[in-house]
Amino acid sequence: EQTSSGEPLTLFPLPETFSVMTPLEHFSPSTLFEKINGQADLYLGSGFVELKSQRYVQTDNQDMWFEVFKYNMGTIENAFSVYSQQYRHNGRPLEWAQFAYAVSNAIFFVHGQDYIEMRAASTSEALNTSMQAMAKEYLASNALDDATPVGFSWLPRKDLDVKSVTMVVSSAFGFERLDQVFTGEYRIDGVTVTAYISERASVEEAAE
């Protein structure tokens, strides 16, 4: 189903066991703080374009609900940047997407230019399973040709902790001229080493 403007009524396809709890909400760069006050700066500094959010509830149990946050970050690099900088290291990786993980009450993943969070109102394995099933159906029906950020492959894989890979859009390490920086941690001879790489426009710019 669609609204009068042609936009879908729901962000995600819903199974029969779930229904819409709240209308679809939209937030722009100027109104993002209304939804995520205190966190908006990270998104705004990483190319944020728009946030769409909506809550869904299990039809036979009103306590079982979750909210989807779909952040349009403009590019997959920007989406990965937000995902990686907020990565919870107690999360468990999910196999159905290259960049996806779950915690007890939420799942987080990247889909093209979108960074997506699905947050449940309570800790429930059944609810987490339902969220993942809906996310997988969404990805299957919105397949992408290329779902890897440019630069992710620049870091050599030997001794790399893949979960540590982070992309910083601007002012990496507090240096305003370092942008679009990929970092990763390596375990070498018992020592953790951080490597970073950033493509410059020319040899001269890199040297400078």
Side-chain angles (χ1 to χ4, degrees):
E1 293 183 90
Q2 297 180 327
T3 63
S4 57
S5 63
E7 182 177 56
L9 289 173
T10 62
L11 284 174
F12 276 47
L14 295 181
E16 292 182 357
T17 52
F18 279 82
S19 58
V20 173
M21 186 177 184
T22 61
L24 190 60
E25 294 184 289
H26 297 74
F27 299 90
S28 67
S30 63
T31 60
L32 181 62
F33 73 95
E34 297 175 5
K35 186 67 173 179
I36 56 167
N37 190 25
Q39 295 180 296
D41 286 348
L42 171 63
Y43 294 86
L44 295 173
S46 300
F48 172 79
V49 176
E50 181 186 32
L51 166 63
K52 294 181 181 179
S53 66
Q54 191 168 39
R55 293 182 182 181
Y56 307 114
V57 62
Q58 190 169 301
T59 306
D60 61 357
N61 187 343
Q62 297 296 297
D63 293 328
M64 299 283 279
W65 61 269
F66 66 92
E67 186 166 8
V68 174
F69 299 78
K70 183 179 178 183
Y71 296 89
N72 178 348
M73 298 302 301
T75 68
I76 189 171
E77 287 75 27
N78 293 346
F80 176 75
S81 178
V82 172
Y83 168 88
S84 63
Q85 290 187 74
Q86 297 194 126
Y87 193 98
R88 299 187 189 182
H89 292 283
N90 65 333
R92 62 182 189 277
L94 300 171
E95 77 289 346
W96 41 262
Q98 183 175 12
F99 306 112
Y101 71 97
V103 295
S104 60
N105 67 333
I107 63 175
F108 310 85
F109 61 99
V110 174
H111 181 248
Q113 66 185 7
D114 296 324
Y115 167 62
I116 300 173
E117 299 181 350
M118 302 174 78
R119 296 177 174 270
S122 59
T123 299
S124 164
E125 191 62 36
L127 194 52
N128 199 292
T129 298
S130 294
M131 290 192 297
Q132 290 193 48
M134 292 167 65
K136 285 189 281 188
E137 183 178 347
Y138 173 81
L139 294 183
S141 60
N142 295 274
L144 298 173
D145 293 333
D146 185 6
T148 303
V150 173
F152 188 81
S153 62
W154 296 344
L155 293 165
R157 288 299 183 265
K158 187 177 186 298
D159 300 318
L160 173 66
D161 176 3
V162 175
K163 291 197 301 182
S164 74
V165 177
T166 301
M167 191 274 210
V168 183
V169 173
S170 60
S171 298
F173 313 116
F175 182 40
E176 64 181 13
R177 294 180 62 191
L178 263 185
D179 58 8
Q180 306 295 310
V181 176
F182 282 82
T183 73
E185 293 184 354
Y186 291 81
R187 191 70 176 171
I188 302 173
D189 295 332
V191 177
T192 299
V193 178
T194 298
Y196 68 91
I197 185 168
S198 176
E199 185 175 50
R200 301 289 85 190
S202 66
V203 173
E204 292 74 21
E205 184 182 337
E208 183 183 355

